[in-house]
Amino acid sequence: MAGKSRVKTGSELFWTATMWRNWVSMKDSPLRCDFPETDLEQQLVKKRYLTHGARLASPPARKVAGVSDSSKEMDYGVACISERFMDIRTTFLSFRRSIPVIVSMFMIIALAVGWVVSLLYSKALLGVLLAFSPVWVAAYLFEFLFPYTLPVRIDRQEGFVYVGHRGTFYRIPWDELEVTFSYNWQYLGSGVVWERQYYSHLFMREKHYFCGKPPKMPLQRKKISSGFKEGDMYRKWNFIVRYYNEGVVEEDEENLYGANFDSYNQHVKGQTGRRVFGNVLFLLFMPSIVWSKYSPFKYRWPKEIENIFGEFDYY
């Protein structure tokens, strides 16, 4: 009857109680890294999207104990690497890079299903093309026409980190680089906790302003990484610290050759078949790698920074 709430079953009550216990457990448990707590987020003028349990990873920049610093499976987060400097893709850049892959895989599956169905209904494949091709085209046009934001550039030779943020460019001494680890909760439905999401943030202070638009606030932050696996956040940071301290090691050439279009073609130089096959895969699944080299629609480092490094715009 209207006005009466449905009585929950035993299994529903058990599931709700389990989720509540998990939420309380996650809420109270700290991050696994043994770093000091910090209130850097509380110093922000605009306190939006604040996270919890922040720990200070730098300064001084140090690795998380017991976590790998290997570059294996890190090519998604690296735009360019050399002995002089490394460009790190931020969270948004890594997400943008994955969009064409997801759309292309969906289209391939849809076309395969359409082809199978077309064996019974001759116009099924045409229907799939008409229904989903605009999505495919739109995803590619979006990648081509809308520029990526700039990466974070780590200059290990001179000991600086270059960061662009809404037209303002900072040059932060490595020994003064402020990086935090923290987390937040993601929710599904009516207040049901889904999972923790982990963040690493880089903080930019007005005193480190280098060029571009003057800073509007004394302290701002930029998201370096984000994900649902705490260990992945630590692995990326450990890799960054290891690179700064040791430079490019032997495994990096094999693990990071897919970071950009030029590094891939250099790696497979002399292997015509592999080179052609790889370029076709890039065009189908990761066109941003090709377009990041040739597209005129992209942000560029300001002249003050290009005068230091030259023109390197792989992102």
Side-chain angles (χ1 to χ4, degrees):
M1 294 178 63
K4 291 187 177 181
S5 60
R6 184 176 67 87
V7 178
K8 290 187 177 181
T9 64
S11 60
E12 289 176 324
L13 289 172
F14 175 79
W15 182 84
T16 301
T18 301
M19 291 300 295
W20 175 256
R21 286 196 299 270
N22 291 341
W23 179 79
V24 171
S25 176
M26 289 195 303
K27 179 178 183 297
D28 295 334
S29 61
L31 294 176
R32 295 199 305 267
C33 62
D34 187 22
F35 289 165
E37 297 180 359
T38 179
D39 65 347
L40 269 173
E41 281 193 346
Q42 302 303 321
Q43 299 175 31
L44 293 168
V45 175
K46 293 185 177 180
K47 296 179 174 59
R48 297 175 181 173
Y49 310 110
L50 296 182
T51 56
H52 305 275
R55 298 297 183 98
L56 188 67
S58 177
R62 55 218 184 270
K63 299 178 187 177
V64 179
V67 178
S68 170
D69 62 7
S70 171
S71 57
K72 186 178 181 180
E73 300 177 350
M74 286 290 163
D75 60 338
Y76 74 93
V78 177
C80 181
I81 186 170
S82 68
E83 281 293 340
R84 168 72 193 272
F85 71 89
M86 177 170 65
D87 284 347
I88 293 293
R89 290 188 176 95
T90 60
T91 298
F92 183 67
L93 278 175
S94 300
F95 173 72
R96 281 284 301 272
R97 192 186 189 200
S98 67
I99 290 176
V101 179
I102 297 170
V103 173
S104 296
M105 289 299 296
F106 173 79
M107 281 300 302
I108 289 172
I109 295 171
L111 289 174
V113 172
W115 177 77
V116 172
V117 176
S118 69
L119 298 176
L120 300 175
Y121 303 97
S122 59
K123 295 184 178 180
L125 185 59
L126 177 61
V128 170
L129 285 171
L130 292 175
F132 296 113
S133 290
V135 178
W136 204 354
V137 173
Y140 274 61
L141 286 176
F142 178 80
E143 290 298 300
F144 183 69
L145 296 176
F146 289 87
Y148 283 21
T149 56
L150 289 167
V152 173
R153 176 163 291 178
I154 300 171
D155 179 5
R156 64 182 301 269
Q157 178 175 304
E158 300 297 331
F160 289 102
V161 177
Y162 293 84
V163 187
H165 184 70
R166 298 179 180 178
T168 303
F169 292 88
Y170 300 84
R171 185 168 77 163
I172 308 171
W174 176 261
D175 292 338
E176 299 178 27
L177 182 67
E178 294 175 291
V179 174
T180 64
F181 298 146
S182 57
Y183 63 88
N184 218 333
W185 303 290
Q186 298 298 325
Y187 298 90
L188 287 179
S190 179
V192 178
V193 174
W194 179 31
E195 199 169 358
R196 265 190 181 186
Q197 186 165 3
Y198 298 94
Y199 306 93
S200 59
H201 287 106
L202 182 156
F203 287 78
M204 302 154 287
R205 293 191 182 273
E206 190 174 19
K207 67 178 181 178
H208 295 135
Y209 166 69
F210 184 61
C211 62
K213 299 177 181 178
K216 294 183 178 180
M217 288 174 280
L219 180 67
Q220 301 195 69
R221 67 176 181 178
K222 193 178 190 74
K223 195 181 298 178
I224 303 175
S225 65
S226 172
F228 294 104
K229 294 182 179 179
E230 187 176 356
D232 287 351
M233 173 177 66
Y234 298 151
R235 283 188 63 239
K236 185 173 183 179
W237 173 248
N238 279 9
F239 163 64
I240 292 172
V241 176
R242 190 267 292 166
Y243 164 78
Y244 184 84
N245 292 330
E246 302 175 22
V248 179
V249 300
E250 185 176 352
E251 69 164 19
D252 295 341
E253 182 179 350
E254 184 63 31
N255 291 335
L256 302 175
Y257 68 84
N260 61 65
F261 191 62
D262 280 354
S263 63
Y264 173 80
N265 286 320
Q266 181 63 33
H267 183 76
V268 299
K269 186 177 181 180
Q271 304 176 53
T272 305
R274 185 180 177 187
R275 182 175 182 177
V276 171
F277 179 71
N279 289 340
V280 170
L281 288 181
F282 283 149
L283 288 171
L284 285 176
F285 296 105
M286 301 179 68
S288 55
I289 283 190
V290 181
W291 291 340
S292 65
K293 176 176 175 61
Y294 297 109
S295 174
F297 304 104
K298 61 181 178 182
Y299 294 113
R300 304 184 68 91
W301 291 102
K303 290 298 181 182
E304 292 87 343
I305 296 178
E306 285 192 344
N307 289 339
I308 299 173
F309 299 96
E311 296 184 9
F312 291 91
D313 296 308
Y314 303 112
Y315 47 87

